[in-house]
């Protein structure tokens, strides 16, 4: 079974940094596109970043460009999201997800492309 387990969330002051991790199992990690999605209180889920199966291609939503970095450690089957210059607007539950297909057929930041989801990790910037 596909399993995704996030960790690394917590409370951080504005301007601080956090590194989120997502441990993946039950599939060949290097074969699938992965994403980080967040949901802020009272708001809809928002695709934050994605990374291609081999890790060579990434993309970000405008709100986090230049501050967040998504990466894959294929040796450890772990997805990361390095977050810097955090602001209260980044407060949300962060989820990792695996694409339904190895390569999404539509926009890789479109949540409908992702079938398997972790339970989420809370990030609070205050």
């Amino acid at each position: 079974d596909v399993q995704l387990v996030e960790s690394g969330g917590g409370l951080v002051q504005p301007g601080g940094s956090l590194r989120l991790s997502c441990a993946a199992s039950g599939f060949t990690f290097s074969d699938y596109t992965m994403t980080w999605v967040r949901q802020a209180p009272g708001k809809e889920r928002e695709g934050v970043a994605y990374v291609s199966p081999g890790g060579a291609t990434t993309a970000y939503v405008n709100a986090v460009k230049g501050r967040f970095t998504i990466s894959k450690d294929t040796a450890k089957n772990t997805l990361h999201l390095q977050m810097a210059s955090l602001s209260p607007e980044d407060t949300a539950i962060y989820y990792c997800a695996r694409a339904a297909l190895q390569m999404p057929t539509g926009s890789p930041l479109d949540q409908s492309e992702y079938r398997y989801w972790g339970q989420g990790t809370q990030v609070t910037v205050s």
Side-chain angles (χ1 to χ4, degrees):
D1 291 353
V2 173
Q3 289 193 342
L4 301 169
V5 180
E6 300 96 336
S7 62
L11 175 64
V12 63
Q13 292 183 344
S17 300
L18 275 178
R19 188 193 197 202
L20 305 183
S21 298
C22 171
S25 61
F27 64 101
T28 303
F29 185 63
S30 58
D31 282 353
Y32 286 87
T33 298
M34 301 290 294
T35 191
W36 285 98
V37 173
R38 67 185 179 184
Q39 186 166 22
K43 295 186 178 180
E44 295 184 352
R45 285 189 181 183
E46 172 188 43
V48 172
Y50 90 93
V51 59
S52 60
T57 301
T58 60
Y60 302 86
V61 69
N62 286 339
V64 308
K65 281 182 181 177
R67 301 188 299 121
F68 289 12
T69 303
I70 188 172
S71 63
K72 271 188 161 187
D73 183 343
T74 54
K76 296 183 178 180
N77 287 353
T78 302
L79 179 72
H80 295 292
L81 185 68
Q82 181 68 49
M83 305 185 294
S85 301
L86 287 163
S87 72
E89 289 69 35
D90 296 312
T91 294
I93 300 174
Y94 285 73
Y95 302 89
C96 66
R98 197 208 85 175
L101 303 176
Q102 292 182 334
M103 287 292 294
T105 57
S107 168
L109 286 176
D110 184 345
Q111 298 168 53
S112 68
E113 297 284 352
Y114 295 88
R115 177 176 295 172
Y116 300 96
W117 295 76
Q119 82 289 349
T121 186
Q122 176 71 49
V123 172
T124 303
V125 185
S126 178

